[in-house]
Amino acid sequence: MSTMPKAASEHTRAHNSPRDLGMDPADFDRASRGLVAQHATGVIEGAWGPAWDVSKYDFIEQGAPNPDTVHPSLWRQAQLNAIHGLFEVAPGMWQARGYDISNITFIEGATGWIVIDPLTVEGCARDCLALANEHLGERPVTAVIYTHSHTDHFGGVLGVTSPEAVAAGDCRIIAPEHFLREAISENVIAGFAMARRAIYQFGPLLPPGAQGHVDCGLGKAIPLSPPGLLAPTEEITHTGEELVVDGVRIVFQLTPEAEAPAEMNFFFPDRVDGGAGWLCMAENCTHNMHNLVPIRGAQVRDALKWSKYIGEAIDLFADRADLMFASHHWPRWGSDDVRGFLTRQRDMYRYIHDQTMRLANHGETPLEIAEQIELPPELSHECHTTGYYGHLAHNVKAVYQRYLSWYDGNPANLWKLPPSEVGQRYVELAGGSDALLSAARTSFERGDYRWVAELVNHLVFADPSNGEARDLQADALEQLGFQCESATFRNAYLTGAQELRQGHPPRNPAMRRGYLDAMTIEQLLDAMSVRLRAEDVGGVDVAVNLVVEDADDRDWKLILSNRALQGSPGAAANGAATLTLPREALVELAAGEIDADQLSADERVGLDGDAAAVHAVFGHLDTFLSMFPIVEP
């Protein structure tokens, strides 16, 4: 079995033949406008080695026709996302783009930098700040604004400020209401599964190249380094709220449940002569159709609210906005261009929402609706309405899921057999593995790759050691990936093909310390509760009190009852034991760096009461491993 990528098939070559896409050529001018400087080497160091290397994408040449293994529209987006550097967006505002999947924005304040969205990892943020200081004059960072609760907009915060600066009041951290709750919910409670699935969405283990990784749609790639987090010092609680940040007036618009559960747009009303200003649309409007649910998993976004928030931004700010910028991609300049861009974005999400639910109310299922809906001519032929990151078919299913769940109403789909068991039965029904493979090969030769992937998946799950099945499944997924306009679908297909050929990567403990340091006590206890091995604690009913010496809220209790672990404020009157400990020891326990025995023996920890009760509560915490299998059982 070959472990290397294959060539494009004749069907894929025909599908990907170069053609005029009819898209606005001004996108390349916008993406290049205002270049000040570029990173000296293009290589940014991180905690695990190089976190970013621009040269990996040198094969994406500006103006070159697309290879036959890349969809021509995705190739165009990949060329746009390959443009990198520090750019002057307007007098007093600069962005570093192309050194992370997201942008970092620098606003000149009265005494220092206001930083908007400090990227995904410390190294990328650090080097982008250094680039700005080198070419624009060195300034301290006086404020950081998180536009929303996704990692690529806060994970690099330690590259631009420090806990000490924040604690001293030298740097404000401003975020939308409930930011910390939502960031932890996504990145810790569901973070271990989501991180694994994100490997498929973003494709970081694919080798860059025309047969591998070319783009992520929303940006070039994700950096390879762990993220961090500092908790906000201030939260924006309502639309219309105003702050003066280092001498700069900002008007905020809350947009919860749009692109993120906690998100906000904001407007700088005083930045252009004549009463005009700058509008930041966070990640609610970027130069692609976005996800209504990402394939890595997340809460389903509300397409109706999303559309209405964009409409509200038009009503509040468009008449005064001379510039619109966002947390990904390039800005738009001029009031007419800003309004036209926002209008199409508003109408796109409303169209997807309304047409999905119109057909759902006719009794159509998500699979059926996804095959029917296309964007109308009024909304197609624009890169910012094209599904490079989101995908129209997937977004349709997300809208359906939000209202009607994943279940399509057919009782045959209500409680389906698991993949390995159903696979064995399909193989038997087909007349054995050879017969199934023969039928699948015939379909492959016809270019019917979606059917091949569905059919051979049954054999792989029935018998993952079948090399011929793995090889054919990999070949089918690969051709599907080559044909994808969506970067995330391409990455998922190609990563699946790679793992079928090479096996999934080694599994290692997957605790996420970078987030835990910023979490509240309640969030730390909730994260530990998710790790409880319920099968080990039958019949146990016990309470342990915690006194966290250096926390604002010192007294907590953990109650283990009916195989569920509950953490809440205050002491339990019937506590079997009391642990007195520093917050750091609790973080280490939540991170899996120490276990129950080490906790009890730790000289930082005081124990009063029954040591067995402590072991009952803390001695049955699971350890999550990275890289669980996805395309095989």
Side-chain angles (χ1 to χ4, degrees), residues 316-334:
L316 290 172
F317 307 124
D319 286 345
R320 296 179 289 154
D322 191 57
L323 163 69
M324 189 221 77
F325 66 100
S327 301
H328 297 270
H329 302 133
W330 45 95
R332 310 287 287 212
W333 288 267

Side-chain angles (χ1 to χ4, degrees), residues 289 292-293 351-353 355-357 359 365-374 391-402:
M289 178 194 296
L292 294 179
V293 64
Y351 175 89
I352 296 170
H353 172 273
Q355 294 310 303
T356 297
M357 294 315 298
L359 294 176
T365 69
L367 293 177
E368 292 166 339
I369 299 169
E371 294 299 311
Q372 296 179 53
I373 289 186
E374 296 180 352
H391 188 290
L392 181 57
H394 198 64
N395 282 347
V396 163
K397 296 169 188 174
V399 173
Y400 189 102
Q401 179 182 329
R402 184 171 182 92

Side-chain angles (χ1 to χ4, degrees), residues 128 140 247 256 265 294 302 309 334 336 349 379 451 472 481 504 547 603 617:
C128 287
N265 303 325
D302 189 330
Y309 287 137
D336 290 343
Y349 294 114
L379 294 175
W451 172 240
L472 182 57
H504 60 76
V547 178
E603 62 183 17
V617 169

Side-chain angles (χ1 to χ4, degrees), residues 453-473:
E454 182 169 338
L455 184 60
V456 181
N457 186 62
H458 292 307
L459 179 50
V460 171
F461 272 81
D463 180 12
S465 66
N466 189 314
E468 291 182 65
R470 296 176 72 98
D471 199 23
L472 182 57
Q473 180 75 331

Side-chain angles (χ1 to χ4, degrees), residues 261-274:
E263 189 154 1
M264 61 187 182
N265 303 325
F266 41 93
F267 185 63
F268 298 84
D270 308 320
R271 304 307 282 183
V272 181
D273 292 338

Side-chain angles (χ1 to χ4, degrees), residues 12-305:
T12 296
R13 290 195 298 272
H15 185 274
N16 288 347
S17 58
R19 54 190 178 272
D20 182 9
L21 300 168
M23 291 188 180
D24 187 356
D27 286 325
F28 286 91
D29 295 331
R30 295 183 184 107
S32 303
R33 177 173 169 170
L35 179 65
V36 174
Q38 293 180 314
H39 192 282
T41 65
V43 178
I44 297 174
E45 292 299 322
W48 303 329
W52 194 264
D53 186 351
V54 167
S55 68
K56 288 183 176 180
Y57 296 92
D58 285 348
F59 69 93
I60 302 174
E61 298 179 19
Q62 297 296 317
N66 61 286
D68 58 15
T69 54
V70 184
H71 191 288
S73 180
L74 178 57
W75 184 250
R76 179 184 184 274
Q77 185 79 347
Q79 291 176 324
L80 286 161
N81 282 334
I83 298 169
H84 63 93
L86 175 68
F87 301 87
E88 183 180 37
V89 177
M93 191 228 287
W94 296 263
Q95 284 187 320
R97 303 195 293 268
Y99 301 119
D100 198 303
I101 195 172
S102 50
N103 303 336
I104 184 170
T105 302
F106 301 100
I107 306 291
E108 183 181 2
T111 62
W113 291 123
I114 303 167
V115 173
I116 302 172
D117 285 354
L119 304 178
T120 311
V121 301
E122 180 179 341
C124 293
R126 178 196 62 230
D127 278 24
C128 287
L129 176 61
L131 187 65
N133 281 334
E134 178 185 355
H135 293 278
L136 307 174
E138 187 159 352
R139 298 176 176 88
V141 173
T142 52
V144 174
I145 300 176
Y146 301 146
T147 60
H148 62 290
S149 53
H150 291 153
T151 307
D152 51 327
H153 304 275
F154 64 77
V157 65
L158 294 173
V160 298
T161 190
S162 66
E164 293 76 18
V166 173
D170 297 331
C171 180
R172 301 162 69 177
I173 299 184
I174 302 164
E177 185 178 31
H178 305 311
F179 166 88
L180 191 61
R181 181 188 73 191
E182 300 300 345
I184 297 309
S185 173
E186 182 164 301
N187 293 295
V188 176
I189 298 297
F192 307 106
M194 195 175 293
R196 171 60 170 141
R197 290 169 54 139
I199 297 293
Y200 277 64
Q201 177 171 327
F202 297 108
L205 303 184
L206 293 171
Q211 292 174 287
H213 194 272
V214 298
D215 208 64
C216 284
L218 200 60
K220 182 53 58 192
I222 56 170
L224 298 177
S225 194
L229 175 60
L230 292 177
T233 60
E234 303 168 56
E235 287 194 345
I236 301 303
T237 62
H238 61 274
T239 293
E241 186 170 352
E242 291 193 22
L243 293 180
V244 176
V245 181
D246 195 10
V248 177
R249 187 162 67 104
I250 308 174
V251 182
F252 293 89
Q253 178 201 9
L254 280 185
T255 63
E257 294 189 276
E259 191 273 333
E263 189 154 1
M264 61 187 182
N265 303 325
F266 41 93
F267 185 63
F268 298 84
D270 308 320
R271 304 307 282 183
V272 181
D273 292 338
W278 306 335
L279 175 59
C280 176
M281 288 300 292
E283 201 171 318
N284 288 316
C285 291
T286 54
H287 282 86
N288 51 216
M289 178 194 296
H290 214 293
N291 290 303
L292 294 179
V293 64
I295 61 175
R296 64 180 166 82
Q299 299 176 39
V300 175
R301 288 97 191 243
D302 189 330
L304 182 58
K305 284 185 179 179

